[in-house]
Amino acid sequence: MKLIKIALSALLLFAFTTVNAQDELMKELDSVPKGNEAASAAFKGLQICNMQSTKLAAKGEFYFLVSHRFGDLKNGINNFFGLDNALTKIGGIYGVTNWLSIGASRHTYQKTYELAIKYRLANQQVDGFPVTIVGYNTMDINSELDKKLYPGLKFNNRLAFTSQVLVSRKFSNSFSGELAGIFVHKNLYDGLLDQKNIYLVGAGTRYKVAKRLSVNLEYAARLNLPEGSSSPYKNPLTVGLDIETGGHVFQLVFSNSQPMNDVAIFSNAGGDWGKGSLYFGFNMYRVF
């Protein structure tokens, strides 16, 4: 009987010690700083409107994308409010890792093939690092150029590039902002209307107005226009609407840029908001 009492006492003491140790461990875990916890994505779409956001495809995800821009709205019924002169982009994006994705697309504008790579350099953290930093690079291949018209044409002349650094911050569940440093380089360009190298600074915002609805705005300014330049192109300005519908994000956009490849967006925006010269369209991403 005495042995039983001793055994029960020892068991109760062990149980008490174990519970107390678990409580102490939980307190220690709760007290660990959460600075390494990544903040949720600042943007729901891979693009703000035309510009890239700092969101990446997750590892193993494949995004099928279709983008469309109708013709100039200011022409009204003459081009059936843009339906007669539309441009299309079709492509895909694959998440190689959670911090790296690759993409390829085909554009009706200049029959362009666009290759892209996107990579996260830093992530915004809860009570930690304040911003997300992402790099983005594209290479365009202009397949429309005809050797019959350009006898000395080389493959290198078809190429154009962009390099971008994107810095975003999610300020609240409703509001996010992004700044972008952008460099555009063209191997072949019109010296009277265009430039070989263009530097831009861009900004974009997202404001959530409902559970599955947000309003987006973006703008990029060219920094190195030649003095007295009479370039017909404008700084790209775009307003958009994000609509989340289950497995995909649908974006409606109004922009002064009809082309959808990054090189042309930042260097060849032909519309003018002040004159009502705008292009309406959409971006649709389907995740697999």
Side-chain angles (χ1 to χ4, degrees):
M1 188 69 176
K2 187 177 289 187
L3 289 174
I4 295 175
K5 289 182 178 180
I6 292 172
L8 287 173
S9 298
L11 182 62
L12 289 172
L13 180 62
F14 175 76
F16 175 78
T17 304
T18 302
V19 171
N20 189 57
Q22 289 176 338
D23 288 342
E24 291 298 322
L25 179 60
M26 292 304 295
K27 289 178 181 178
E28 289 180 13
L29 290 174
D30 288 340
S31 66
V32 172
K34 296 182 179 180
N36 291 329
E37 181 182 345
S40 56
F43 296 90
K44 289 295 184 181
L46 298 179
Q47 293 174 264
I48 301 176
C49 298
N50 284 326
M51 285 175 53
Q52 289 291 313
S53 75
T54 52
K55 178 180 173 66
L56 273 77
K59 181 179 179 180
E61 282 186 343
F62 177 76
Y63 282 76
F64 175 71
L65 68 99
V66 177
S67 296
H68 205 69
R69 298 292 184 272
F70 299 104
D72 198 335
L73 291 176
K74 78 172 184 179
N75 292 327
I77 196 65
N78 288 333
N79 69 348
F80 205 68
F81 300 96
L83 289 175
D84 293 343
N85 307 106
L87 296 179
T88 302
K89 168 185 176 180
I90 296 177
I93 298 166
Y94 178 71
V96 180
T97 70
N98 286 329
W99 60 269
L100 173 67
S101 64
I102 55 176
S105 56
R106 170 58 157 80
H107 303 250
T108 53
Y109 175 74
Q110 296 181 343
K111 298 181 180 179
T112 299
Y113 292 91
E114 184 180 44
L115 305 177
I117 182 170
K118 193 174 187 179
Y119 42 96
R120 184 183 296 112
L121 302 173
N123 213 355
Q124 181 180 343
Q125 298 172 344
V126 177
D127 299 325
F129 196 69
V131 295
T132 296
I133 304 174
V134 167
Y136 186 70
N137 300 86
T138 69
M139 181 179 75
D140 284 9
I141 305 170
N142 183 341
S143 67
E144 188 176 58
L145 294 172
D146 192 340
K147 285 189 175 182
K148 294 179 181 178
L149 298 178
Y150 303 92
L153 184 71
K154 299 178 181 178
F155 178 76
N156 187 55
N157 301 135
R158 299 181 183 274
L159 304 181
F161 307 86
T162 71
S163 296
Q164 305 173 45
V165 177
L166 316 172
V167 181
S168 74
R169 177 169 174 80
K170 186 173 185 178
F171 293 94
S172 68
N173 287 331
S174 298
F175 180 74
S176 299
E178 178 179 294
L179 292 175
I182 304 161
F183 172 66
V184 178
H185 172 81
K186 300 179 179 182
N187 286 347
L188 184 66
Y189 63 99
D190 186 331
L192 296 176
L193 305 176
D194 212 346
Q195 294 172 258
K196 182 177 183 178
N197 297 314
I198 303 173
Y199 299 90
L200 304 96
V201 61
T205 61
R206 170 182 179 264
Y207 185 76
K208 188 175 181 180
V209 295
K211 184 177 180 180
R212 297 183 179 275
L213 192 68
S214 68
V215 177
N216 301 345
L217 174 67
E218 64 181 35
Y219 176 76
R222 293 169 293 172
L223 302 179
N224 64 323
L225 284 176
E227 188 175 348
S229 171
S230 58
S231 171
Y233 303 118
K234 306 297 181 182
N235 294 332
L237 172 63
T238 308
V239 176
L241 192 69
D242 275 7
I243 305 171
E244 297 178 57
T245 55
H248 62 270
V249 175
F250 189 73
Q251 297 178 310
L252 300 176
V253 300
F254 288 90
S255 179
N256 64 342
S257 173
Q258 188 183 25
M260 291 160 283
N261 55 312
D262 284 62
V263 169
I265 289 168
F266 296 123
S267 62
N268 301 117
D272 189 333
W273 278 81
K275 297 179 180 179
S277 178
L278 299 175
Y279 304 94
F280 169 69
F282 63 84
N283 304 323
M284 185 182 72
Y285 286 91
R286 178 69 186 180
V287 186
F288 294 94

